[in-house]
Amino acid sequence: MLRRRSDVTRGLRLLLLLASAAVPLPAQRGTVDTATFWSQALGTNKRYVVYLPPSYTRDTARHFPVAYYLHGGAGDETNWTARGQLDRTLDSLIASGLPEMIVVMPDGDMSYYTTWNFLGDYQGCLGRPVPRRPDEKPQDYCVPWPHYDDYIARDLVKHVDSTYRTQAERKRRAIAGLSMGGYGAMSLAFNYPEVFAAAASHSGAVAPLLIAYDSTTKRARYATDPEQVLPSYGAQETMRLAFGRDTSGWWARDPGRKAVFQASRNDLAQLPAIYIDVGTEDRLLGQSRAFRDVIEGVGIRPVYVERSGAHDWSYWRANAAHSVTFLAKHLTQP
């Protein structure tokens, strides 16, 4: 169900149709690599997957815009390619005429891409099996300093700009994510509007304290204690560490409040362009609606779409092309 008309141009909509119709992979394909770098903000090495577009190895004088794609809860840096087939989507769209860009998919642990309210038990973490992958070593998962926002927006961006041929400026840089990563994309976009020019959320947990929302009256009911909403999330103890044990820490990390704050002190034209989509059967549907209405209330006009689907990879695989197209459009504007 389309709730609002997107401002994506007719030509870019045609690219989506062509890509979805294309069965064989294009002859010219991008490359997917995995790399590791040191993050000062976390105090450890972290991995990321990078998609380099087809022209990257052929045209060695060319520089490219960059989009960062964040995984969801209990995921890792491989999710967007292994489960979301994002590299195949990019190949098809580029073959149909989409401007090329580098896409970086970092390991965000179960972090919510924020600086945690508490440090957590680093030594204890090192002594336990990693909860998401049995072959992963604790020293590759545990972090002594959980500053995950600076890790992405500062350390990773700096590393990528110094390692690859990027167009290292704000107007050529975007961020996106799904579920927990959708939260991260919106939170980071409004925490660091000088870093990212556009941001996209698929099924994002973008109003974490929300209990219920009436989009007709725009009336929201929020938790007065995090324990009221924690059972609806996974890894509850991690969320207590990241967001805090009372609502003050949660509200301080609420993407809608970050957007309202930035709108109060910046020209709206200097804030990131926003894309949001969510499935009509998604348990987080109300969060996307509430977040949309909050940011529209201060003059931010997102592209907002509801489509058939649930909170799963079938939905995200089918809809990644829409965020890629939106971001590519904004990253290649004059």
Side-chain angles (χ1 to χ4, degrees):
M1 178 176 64
L2 178 67
R3 296 301 301 265
R4 299 192 179 201
R5 292 185 62 85
S6 167
D7 66 355
V8 176
T9 62
R10 181 178 300 175
L12 290 175
R13 287 198 297 269
L14 178 60
L15 291 176
L16 292 172
L17 293 173
L18 290 171
S20 62
V23 176
L25 285 171
Q28 299 297 324
R29 298 169 62 184
T31 58
V32 176
D33 294 319
T34 300
T36 302
F37 84 109
W38 172 262
S39 168
Q40 188 65 32
L42 297 180
T44 192
N45 289 302
K46 297 303 288 183
R47 291 182 297 191
Y48 62 91
V49 171
V50 59
Y51 170 89
L52 301 174
S55 294
Y56 190 88
T57 54
R58 298 197 310 269
D59 187 351
T60 57
R62 183 177 173 186
H63 289 66
F64 298 83
V66 185
Y68 293 83
Y69 267 70
L70 309 179
H71 63 74
D76 60 41
E77 71 281 359
T78 68
N79 281 179
W80 271 111
T81 51
R83 304 188 68 181
Q85 300 177 1
L86 185 59
D87 52 329
R88 296 169 64 96
T89 297
L90 287 159
D91 286 340
S92 294
L93 288 170
I94 290 169
S96 300
L98 188 80
E100 292 180 280
M101 60 183 177
I102 296 169
V103 176
V104 178
M105 295 151 275
D107 180 11
D109 301 326
M110 186 64 192
S111 67
Y112 275 83
Y113 304 98
T114 187
T115 290
W116 287 13
N117 210 61
F118 302 100
L119 285 178
D121 182 8
Y122 174 62
Q123 292 300 325
C125 179
L126 290 175
R128 295 189 294 269
V130 177
R132 56 183 182 177
R133 291 197 305 244
D135 61 333
E136 189 172 17
K137 298 177 182 178
Q139 58 266 34
D140 295 331
Y141 174 78
C142 306
V143 301
W145 306 107
H147 295 265
Y148 283 92
D149 44 3
D150 288 335
Y151 151 59
I152 299 293
R154 300 300 188 204
D155 294 351
L156 182 60
V157 166
K158 181 179 179 180
H159 167 79
V160 168
D161 284 343
S162 64
T163 304
Y164 303 95
R165 296 195 314 276
T166 69
Q167 295 176 339
E169 53 183 322
R170 182 248 185 196
K171 68 179 182 179
R172 306 300 182 212
R173 195 182 294 122
I175 190 164
L178 65 89
S179 192
M180 179 185 80
Y183 165 88
M186 294 298 105
S187 179
L188 289 165
F190 288 113
N191 252 1
Y192 303 88
E194 76 284 3
V195 176
F196 303 106
S201 168
H202 296 288
S203 315
V206 288
L209 280 173
L210 187 74
I211 293 177
Y213 189 69
D214 185 330
S215 57
T216 302
T217 62
K218 298 185 179 181
R219 290 182 178 177
R221 183 161 65 93
Y222 293 99
T224 57
D225 185 325
E227 297 299 325
Q228 294 173 271
V229 294
L230 277 169
S232 64
Y233 296 103
Q236 295 181 33
E237 187 54 34
T238 301
M239 288 197 75
R240 292 186 183 95
L241 292 171
F243 285 79
R245 298 180 184 276
D246 58 56
T247 57
S248 61
W250 287 63
W251 281 122
R253 293 169 174 81
D254 181 79
R257 290 206 172 182
K258 293 176 187 289
V260 170
F261 173 73
Q262 292 292 355
S264 71
R265 63 197 297 267
N266 290 289
D267 182 340
L268 292 180
Q270 301 304 311
L271 296 182
I274 301 297
Y275 170 89
I276 303 165
D277 75 34
V278 63
T280 52
E281 293 80 50
D282 196 306
R283 59 186 174 82
L284 299 183
L285 173 61
Q287 293 201 27
S288 286
R289 289 176 173 176
F291 177 70
R292 171 203 62 194
D293 290 343
V294 166
I295 65 175
E296 285 189 340
V298 294
I300 300 168
R301 297 287 179 256
V303 172
Y304 179 83
V305 186
E306 294 178 9
R307 300 185 179 93
S308 178
H311 200 82
D312 55 35
W313 277 106
S314 295
Y315 178 85
W316 300 321
R317 274 193 303 271
N319 285 282
H322 295 284
S323 64
V324 166
T325 303
F326 175 85
L327 298 179
K329 169 194 171 184
H330 284 277
L331 294 184
T332 55
Q333 289 178 342

